Short mmCIF file of all heavy atoms in Angstrom, two decimals:
data_model
loop_
_atom_site.label_atom_id
_atom_site.label_comp_id
_atom_site.label_asym_id
_atom_site.label_seq_id
_atom_site.Cartn_x
_atom_site.Cartn_y
_atom_site.Cartn_z
N TYR A 72 -14.04 11.65 9.01
CA TYR A 72 -14.97 12.18 8.02
C TYR A 72 -14.29 13.26 7.23
O TYR A 72 -13.62 14.11 7.75
CB TYR A 72 -16.22 12.72 8.72
CG TYR A 72 -17.22 13.26 7.68
CD1 TYR A 72 -18.02 12.35 6.92
CD2 TYR A 72 -17.33 14.62 7.44
CE1 TYR A 72 -18.90 12.86 6.04
CE2 TYR A 72 -18.20 15.10 6.50
CZ TYR A 72 -19.01 14.24 5.74
OH TYR A 72 -19.86 14.67 4.81
N ASP A 73 -14.44 13.23 5.90
CA ASP A 73 -13.85 14.16 5.02
C ASP A 73 -14.95 14.67 4.01
O ASP A 73 -15.21 13.97 3.05
CB ASP A 73 -12.68 13.62 4.27
CG ASP A 73 -11.93 14.60 3.39
OD1 ASP A 73 -12.39 15.76 3.28
OD2 ASP A 73 -10.84 14.22 2.82
N GLY A 74 -15.50 15.82 4.26
CA GLY A 74 -16.53 16.35 3.36
C GLY A 74 -15.93 17.42 2.44
O GLY A 74 -16.74 18.15 1.79
N ILE A 75 -14.61 17.56 2.30
CA ILE A 75 -14.04 18.50 1.36
C ILE A 75 -14.09 17.86 -0.01
O ILE A 75 -13.79 16.63 -0.18
CB ILE A 75 -12.54 18.71 1.78
CG1 ILE A 75 -12.46 19.27 3.18
CG2 ILE A 75 -11.80 19.57 0.75
CD1 ILE A 75 -13.11 20.64 3.35
N GLU A 76 -14.38 18.62 -1.02
CA GLU A 76 -14.62 18.13 -2.42
C GLU A 76 -13.47 17.24 -2.89
O GLU A 76 -13.69 16.12 -3.38
CB GLU A 76 -14.86 19.29 -3.37
CG GLU A 76 -15.40 18.83 -4.70
CD GLU A 76 -15.85 20.01 -5.56
OE1 GLU A 76 -16.33 20.96 -4.94
OE2 GLU A 76 -15.75 19.87 -6.80
N GLN A 77 -12.26 17.71 -2.81
CA GLN A 77 -11.11 16.87 -3.31
C GLN A 77 -10.45 16.09 -2.16
O GLN A 77 -9.47 15.41 -2.37
CB GLN A 77 -10.00 17.77 -3.92
CG GLN A 77 -10.27 18.18 -5.33
CD GLN A 77 -10.96 19.50 -5.51
OE1 GLN A 77 -10.96 20.29 -4.54
NE2 GLN A 77 -11.49 19.82 -6.68
N GLY A 78 -10.99 16.23 -0.97
CA GLY A 78 -10.39 15.52 0.19
C GLY A 78 -9.18 16.32 0.66
O GLY A 78 -8.61 17.12 -0.02
N ILE A 79 -8.78 15.90 1.90
CA ILE A 79 -7.63 16.67 2.52
C ILE A 79 -6.38 15.83 2.59
O ILE A 79 -5.35 16.27 3.12
CB ILE A 79 -7.96 17.23 3.84
CG1 ILE A 79 -8.20 16.13 4.91
CG2 ILE A 79 -9.10 18.20 3.81
CD1 ILE A 79 -8.15 16.64 6.35
N THR A 80 -6.39 14.54 2.15
CA THR A 80 -5.27 13.66 2.37
C THR A 80 -4.00 14.24 1.73
O THR A 80 -2.92 14.23 2.35
CB THR A 80 -5.48 12.26 1.86
OG1 THR A 80 -5.90 12.29 0.50
CG2 THR A 80 -6.60 11.57 2.67
N GLU A 81 -4.09 14.77 0.52
CA GLU A 81 -2.94 15.23 -0.16
C GLU A 81 -2.36 16.51 0.54
O GLU A 81 -1.18 16.71 0.62
CB GLU A 81 -3.18 15.55 -1.64
CG GLU A 81 -3.40 14.28 -2.46
CD GLU A 81 -2.20 13.36 -2.43
OE1 GLU A 81 -1.01 13.79 -2.50
OE2 GLU A 81 -2.49 12.12 -2.31
N ASP A 82 -3.24 17.35 1.07
CA ASP A 82 -2.79 18.51 1.89
C ASP A 82 -2.04 18.05 3.10
O ASP A 82 -0.99 18.63 3.43
CB ASP A 82 -4.02 19.36 2.32
CG ASP A 82 -4.52 20.29 1.26
OD1 ASP A 82 -3.89 20.49 0.27
OD2 ASP A 82 -5.63 20.81 1.49
N LEU A 83 -2.53 17.06 3.80
CA LEU A 83 -1.82 16.53 4.98
C LEU A 83 -0.46 15.95 4.61
O LEU A 83 0.52 16.25 5.30
CB LEU A 83 -2.72 15.55 5.72
CG LEU A 83 -4.03 16.07 6.30
CD1 LEU A 83 -4.88 14.90 6.76
CD2 LEU A 83 -3.77 17.07 7.37
N ILE A 84 -0.40 15.15 3.60
CA ILE A 84 0.85 14.51 3.21
C ILE A 84 1.86 15.56 2.72
O ILE A 84 3.01 15.54 3.08
CB ILE A 84 0.58 13.45 2.12
CG1 ILE A 84 -0.23 12.29 2.71
CG2 ILE A 84 1.83 12.96 1.48
CD1 ILE A 84 -0.81 11.30 1.70
N SER A 85 1.40 16.58 1.95
CA SER A 85 2.34 17.60 1.42
C SER A 85 2.88 18.49 2.55
O SER A 85 3.91 19.10 2.43
CB SER A 85 1.62 18.41 0.38
OG SER A 85 0.66 19.31 1.00
#
Side-chain angles (χ1 to χ4, degrees):
Y72 180 76
D73 185 354
I75 301 296
E76 191 170 329
Q77 279 96 14
I79 67 162
T80 55
E81 290 303 318
D82 278 348
L83 295 171
I84 292 168
S85 71

